[in-house]
Amino acid sequence: NTNTDWESCFLNPPTTTTTTTTPPPPTTTVPTSCADGVGVGPSNTQTWVASTATTNACRDTVMAKHPTANGYSWKKGGGSCYAEFQMTHRNTNTDWESCFLNPPTTTTTTTTPPPPTTTVPTSCADGGGVGPSNT
């Protein structure tokens, strides 16, 4: 507050919170098949890549042109091939096949208390007023 009869200072800085989003590492092994890969991988972003004759050709093209994609969707019977980004699941559309290439991105939030103050402040800049307290 603004009571000039008192002066108060912080001895420890406030707690800080850090949020880190970590993308998955690139896939190092190429999936050779996609078990139960029925459906389109609905995602926040998908990019048309090419028309391909097979699902493996779609996979290889997506991995070559979009190494950060975490999946692909291919129109069965030869057709449109899409790179999937932020793919989390597949729907049940039997006209399409889709596979995951990388695991989903993870987000970790860590709250770190500040270290204790080891030095006593000798002055308090703009320390006017009483610090409110619950005790």
Side-chain angles (χ1 to χ4, degrees), residues 1-84:
N1 66 33
T2 59
N3 184 336
T4 57
D5 294 335
W6 292 84
E7 186 172 291
S8 60
C9 297
F10 287 106
L11 294 179
N12 291 315
T15 300
T16 58
T17 300
T18 304
T19 301
T20 305
T21 301
T22 307
T27 300
T28 54
T29 58
V30 177
T32 56
S33 67
C34 191
D36 300 321
V38 171
V40 174
S43 63
N44 291 338
T45 305
Q46 61 180 203
T47 300
W48 184 85
V49 178
S51 289
T52 62
T54 67
T55 186
N56 287 347
C58 177
R59 176 203 62 212
D60 295 345
T61 305
V62 167
M63 291 180 73
K65 291 185 176 184
H66 298 281
T68 60
N70 74 328
Y72 68 91
S73 293
W74 176 72
K75 177 83 168 163
K76 287 184 178 181
S80 294
C81 171
Y82 288 86
E84 301 281 355

Side-chain angles (χ1 to χ4, degrees), residues 41-123:
S43 63
N44 291 338
T45 305
Q46 61 180 203
T47 300
W48 184 85
V49 178
S51 289
T52 62
T54 67
T55 186
N56 287 347
C58 177
R59 176 203 62 212
D60 295 345
T61 305
V62 167
M63 291 180 73
K65 291 185 176 184
H66 298 281
T68 60
N70 74 328
Y72 68 91
S73 293
W74 176 72
K75 177 83 168 163
K76 287 184 178 181
S80 294
C81 171
Y82 288 86
E84 301 281 355
F85 301 89
Q86 301 172 8
M87 184 170 120
T88 58
H89 65 284
R90 298 181 285 221
N91 66 23
T92 58
N93 185 334
T94 58
D95 292 334
W96 290 82
E97 182 175 299
S98 60
C99 291
F100 286 99
L101 296 175
N102 293 312
T105 298
T106 57
T107 300
T108 304
T109 301
T110 306
T111 300
T112 308
T117 301
T118 56
T119 59
V120 177
T122 57
S123 67

